[in-house]
């Protein structure tokens, strides 16, 4: 039964991401790479792998025109998922992936993002780690390089740059936590 639930939820997430991100091929490649990385991490975590991998497929759908509302992709993606009947936990994971709370504050969207509970767990860490270790084209990338690339792409006057003072250390500490868990299974 567990395997069937996994395949069904993950396959559905993959299909939704493929359709919603059809006009954003680089975002699709990134999402596919993040999902592949999440599958690797799920094997090490062992807890709700279907939730982790489904959230990985869906984490960037807020960039798509069909989902765009506020222009802040984590929040827009979560709202899209809510409107389409996804489980609240997956919506919340999408809403808060990769330190979204820090950028939301800079964008004056903290209250809106706060409508989604922020999960602080090994699974939530794994989703962010998967996102922060896969580059825009879907290829593996060290977290430090990924952060630098993101700042370069968004620009030094972006909300991401303004939030970096808090978000950057958070992402690096999270990467350390995940890598420690991977080095010490069962932790």
């Amino acid at each position: 039964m567990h395997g069937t639930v996994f395949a069904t939820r993950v396959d559905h997430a993959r299909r939704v991401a493929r359709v919603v991100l059809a006009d954003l091929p680089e975002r699709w490649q990134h999402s596919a790479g993040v999902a592949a990385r999440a599958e690797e991490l799920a094997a090490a975590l062992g807890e709700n792998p279907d939730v982790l991998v489904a959230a990985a497929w869906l984490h960037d759908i807020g960039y798509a025109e069909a989902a765009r509302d506020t222009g802040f992709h984590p929040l827009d993606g979560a709202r899209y998922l809510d409107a389409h009947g996804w489980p609240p936990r997956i919506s919340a994971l999408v809403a808060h992936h990769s330190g979204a709370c820090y950028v939301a504050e800079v964008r004056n969207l903290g209250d809106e993002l706060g409508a989604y509970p922020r999960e602080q767990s090994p699974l939530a860490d794994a989703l962010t780690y998967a996102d922060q270790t896969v580059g825009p084209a879907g290829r593996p990338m060290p977290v430090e390089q990924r952060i630098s690339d993101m700042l370069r792409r968004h620009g030094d006057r972006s909300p991401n740059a303004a939030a970096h003072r808090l978000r950057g250390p958070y992402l690096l500490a999270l990467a350390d936590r995940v890598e420690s868990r991977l080095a010490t299974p069962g932790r």
Side-chain angles (χ1 to χ4, degrees), residues 5-186:
V5 171
F6 178 87
T8 302
R9 183 174 293 171
V10 170
D11 289 344
H12 183 57
R14 182 183 308 111
R15 285 191 302 273
V16 168
R18 183 183 304 274
V19 169
V20 174
L21 296 174
D23 293 337
L24 300 170
E26 190 171 80
R27 189 62 50 198
W28 163 254
Q29 290 173 333
H30 169 71
S31 294
V34 171
R37 184 70 175 125
E39 283 184 19
E40 295 168 7
L41 296 169
L45 283 176
E47 176 193 335
N48 297 309
D50 60 317
V51 172
L52 173 58
V53 178
W57 275 112
L58 299 167
H59 81 284
D60 273 355
I61 63 168
Y63 280 112
E65 188 63 38
R68 194 166 297 132
D69 178 29
T70 66
F72 184 46
H73 84 275
L75 180 58
D76 293 348
R79 288 178 171 177
Y80 179 90
L81 294 172
D82 284 349
H84 289 86
W86 281 86
R89 185 179 187 196
I90 292 179
S91 296
L93 286 164
V94 167
H96 286 284
H97 78 276
S98 294
C101 62
Y102 300 106
V103 182
E105 287 301 321
V106 170
R107 295 180 69 135
N108 295 316
L109 292 170
D111 289 342
E112 288 88 338
L113 191 68
Y116 295 91
R118 183 176 174 206
E119 180 175 330
Q120 295 182 0
S121 68
L123 190 145
D125 284 357
L127 175 61
T128 291
Y129 184 79
D131 184 34
Q132 295 300 312
T133 57
V134 173
R139 293 187 178 90
M141 177 181 279
V143 67
E144 296 85 355
Q145 185 180 350
R146 174 85 163 107
I147 292 169
S148 294
D149 177 67
M150 176 275 303
L151 290 170
R152 181 190 54 75
R153 282 184 293 107
H154 287 275
D156 57 358
R157 295 179 185 253
S158 70
N160 286 358
H164 182 65
R165 180 180 60 78
L166 297 173
R167 185 176 177 234
Y170 163 79
L171 293 173
L172 293 173
L174 181 144
D176 286 344
R177 281 195 307 270
V178 172
E179 289 168 1
S180 290
R181 285 185 196 112
L182 292 173
T184 312

